Amino acid sequence: MDAGVKSVALQPQRNTPIPAIPEMPAYGPPQIGMTPNPQRPTDCPPGLEYLTQIDQLLVNQKVELAEAILGWETNNKYMVKNTMGQQVFFAAEENDCCNRQCCGPMRSFVLHVQDNHGLEVLTLRRPLKCSACCFPCCLQELEVLAPLGIPIGYVIQDWHPYRPKFTIQNEKREAVLKIVGPICACKCCSDVNFEVVSLDELTAVGSISKQWSGLMREAFTDADNFGIKFPLDLDVKIKAVLFGACFLIDFMFFEHSK
């Protein structure tokens, strides 16, 4: 009987199901050189764990041939990296052709931000609003949402006759920081800096900089590079809102067709 038991135990199990390989979303497939996600701290939205460990991000917009050759506006895509060049996030615009061609850079949009595993960690929503400085009642804004559509902050344009200004708000719509841009956002062969400052605008705490990308790229495409700096100990949700402000600034000031 012992021998019979042994023979049964040694037989291979033939009906063991093979686990399925999950499919990746179409926005941003993983690439070599990505960073792993650390453990999530308390009060940190899922997928934003890595933001708690850094004070800088690099945002590189992908060059689209249809835009460069034909001038046909396409959905924007961005690679988000750390200072070592490792991919942290991937951002992709969701929009329809009519909105892109008719409204241009002032269009409303939904921007999906995914982590290295293809999971959506942020959703950025911009409604369609007037951009003229003579309409202070209808200024630009951006809503930043964590997974499941939970708002974590807002970027609100402040009216000013000649200087770009924005207020960073938390999920309760309480003002936390300000962003102050230059009088002229068009500079040749140099970076354009939008300073992140305290509410009284006396203390600089970070910056969102549109980086000079070279003469050929600047002349023939609207694909831009940005650098974002913020305090290391800043609330991770406010870091995410500053990250979202970078895209609103890109659309408002640097997305015009070349």
Side-chain angles (χ1 to χ4, degrees), residues 29-254:
Q31 296 183 5
I32 298 176
M34 292 182 178
T35 57
N37 287 335
Q39 292 185 349
R40 179 159 59 96
T42 305
D43 199 33
C44 175
L48 300 182
E49 299 85 358
Y50 188 69
L51 287 182
T52 63
Q53 302 182 357
I54 58 173
D55 59 0
Q56 293 186 54
L57 283 173
L58 303 176
V59 180
N60 304 130
Q61 184 177 352
K62 297 183 67 176
V63 177
E64 301 291 343
L65 293 180
E67 288 190 13
I69 299 175
L70 302 176
W72 187 263
E73 191 69 33
T74 60
N75 282 328
N76 287 353
K77 298 180 180 66
Y78 304 84
M79 303 293 295
V80 185
K81 303 177 181 180
N82 59 19
T83 55
M84 295 181 291
Q86 297 172 312
Q87 180 179 331
V88 180
F89 301 114
F90 180 86
E93 177 188 0
E94 177 188 349
N95 224 325
D96 59 81
C97 180
C98 181
N99 192 18
R100 292 195 308 268
Q101 308 311 321
C102 296
C103 300
M106 300 316 303
R107 62 186 180 266
S108 60
F109 64 75
V110 176
L111 203 68
H112 301 278
V113 181
Q114 297 181 339
D115 65 8
N116 293 336
H117 305 287
L119 301 177
E120 188 160 326
V121 298
L122 285 175
T123 305
L124 313 178
R125 297 184 181 274
R126 178 202 190 186
L128 181 63
K129 290 195 173 185
C130 179
S131 63
C133 63
C134 56
F135 292 100
C137 61
C138 191
L139 299 173
Q140 299 297 307
E141 67 177 67
L142 183 79
E143 182 182 26
V144 182
L145 302 102
L148 303 180
I150 301 174
I152 60 174
Y154 304 86
V155 184
I156 306 297
Q157 183 186 10
D158 300 330
W159 184 85
H160 196 276
Y162 57 86
R163 183 184 291 273
K165 287 191 176 184
F166 302 87
T167 296
I168 301 298
Q169 298 178 342
N170 60 18
E171 66 271 24
K172 300 178 181 179
R173 287 196 174 271
E174 299 169 335
V176 179
L177 294 170
K178 294 274 189 179
I179 297 177
V180 180
I183 296 176
C184 179
C186 299
K187 294 184 179 180
C188 183
C189 301
S190 64
D191 296 349
V192 181
N193 296 317
F194 289 74
E195 298 295 333
V196 181
V197 296
S198 56
L199 290 178
D200 58 10
E201 300 185 12
L202 297 179
T203 305
V205 299
S207 65
I208 299 174
S209 300
K210 190 270 182 184
Q211 300 172 342
W212 175 255
S213 304
L215 183 60
M216 295 297 293
R217 181 162 176 156
E218 295 283 345
F220 296 104
T221 74
D222 58 7
D224 302 308
N225 295 326
F226 289 87
I228 308 172
K229 296 181 181 180
F230 36 64
L232 183 62
D233 58 351
L234 186 65
D235 186 332
V236 66
K237 295 179 182 178
I238 302 303
K239 287 184 179 182
V241 179
L242 286 174
F243 172 59
C246 173
F247 299 101
L248 180 60
I249 289 172
D250 180 32
F251 272 83
M252 288 182 63
F253 301 102
F254 305 108

Side-chain angles (χ1 to χ4, degrees), residues 15-36:
N15 296 325
T16 302
I18 300 175
I21 300 175
E23 295 184 358
M24 298 296 297
Y27 292 121
Q31 296 183 5
I32 298 176
M34 292 182 178
T35 57

